Amino acid sequence: EELINPKKNIPISIVVSLTIVIICYVTANLSYFLVLPMEVIITSPAVAITVAQEVWGYWAAIVTALLVSFSALGSLNANIMASSRIIYAGAVDKMVPFANVLGFVSKDFGTPVFSIIAVSCMATLVVLPGNFDALLNYFGFATWIFFGLCGVSLIKVRMQKSHLLQFKVWPYPAIPVIFILSALAIVISAIIEYPLPSLYATIFILAGVPVYFLFFWR
């Protein structure tokens, strides 16, 4: 509802943004390996900051730390925007609690205000314990499960309702299949590397199933 001409603009935005990100990440990682020895890369808590300090000195490390923080804020902003739309879509379909409130759209900005506030509050509660490693283990494992399921749902929808879809990105279905396999590999890796956090995250996800069938299943 918020996008103008999604048939044209969504593929363009995806291709352009991913190309920029890939170039930046590959270039940055090449610079890390060219500047630092492997043992330093392995032990460094923040490789980008270590490289900046090694090449340009202390103040460059400070500037790099600030740039990394701004990058994290940009990623946070994108995740809040995307996650709030998921809650909004569930509210429109009456699939989440307080659907009337979470489905409200601001007349001034055209955005789901209360869905954004709800996501922000949940994110704040998650980061309160202050253990970033634990948060990464739990959140990363759960996130990639649903990323993979999104790929599966895309293939299913295209098989069942292809006449309703406005556009298709070449070379389908290779891209979603590769994505699904990549997500599966990350999930399996997390289970092997962090079995207990993965188990706890799985239990937490499955706890929502009886809630769904008791209160929202029709």
Side-chain angles (χ1 to χ4, degrees), residues 19-192:
T19 302
I20 294 172
V21 170
I22 289 171
I23 292 173
C24 291
Y25 268 73
V26 171
T27 305
N29 280 277
L30 283 175
S31 67
Y32 301 157
F33 286 105
L34 290 173
V35 172
L36 299 177
M38 183 60 67
E39 55 271 15
V40 176
I41 293 176
I42 294 173
T43 57
S44 174
V47 180
I49 296 173
T50 304
V51 170
Q53 186 167 357
E54 184 73 20
V55 176
W56 294 293
Y58 174 77
W59 288 108
I62 299 297
V63 172
T64 302
L66 291 174
L67 291 175
V68 171
S69 300
F70 288 135
S71 175
L73 286 174
S75 176
L76 177 64
N77 176 65
N79 276 281
I80 288 177
M81 291 181 65
S83 300
S84 63
R85 271 58 179 186
I86 295 174
I87 294 180
Y88 166 74
V92 170
D93 293 336
K94 307 297 181 182
M95 302 299 290
V96 297
F98 310 108
N100 292 333
V101 175
L102 296 175
F104 173 79
V105 177
S106 170
K107 294 181 179 178
D108 295 326
F109 302 103
T111 53
V113 178
F114 294 111
S115 292
I116 295 174
I117 294 174
V119 168
S120 302
C121 292
M122 287 187 285
T124 303
L125 291 175
V126 169
V127 301
L128 280 179
N131 190 334
F132 180 75
D133 290 335
L135 174 62
L136 186 62
N137 293 336
Y138 290 111
F139 179 76
F141 172 79
T143 299
W144 278 102
I145 289 176
F146 288 99
F147 283 168
L149 290 175
C150 284
V152 174
S153 65
L154 173 64
I155 294 176
K156 181 179 179 181
V157 169
R158 288 202 176 277
M159 291 174 61
Q160 295 181 344
K161 302 179 180 181
S162 59
H163 61 286
L164 298 177
L165 301 175
Q166 296 183 352
F167 60 90
K168 183 185 296 184
V169 178
W170 185 88
Y172 177 86
I175 292 177
V177 169
I178 293 172
F179 180 80
I180 293 167
L181 293 176
S182 301
L184 181 62
I186 294 173
V187 170
I188 292 174
S189 175
I191 293 173
I192 296 172

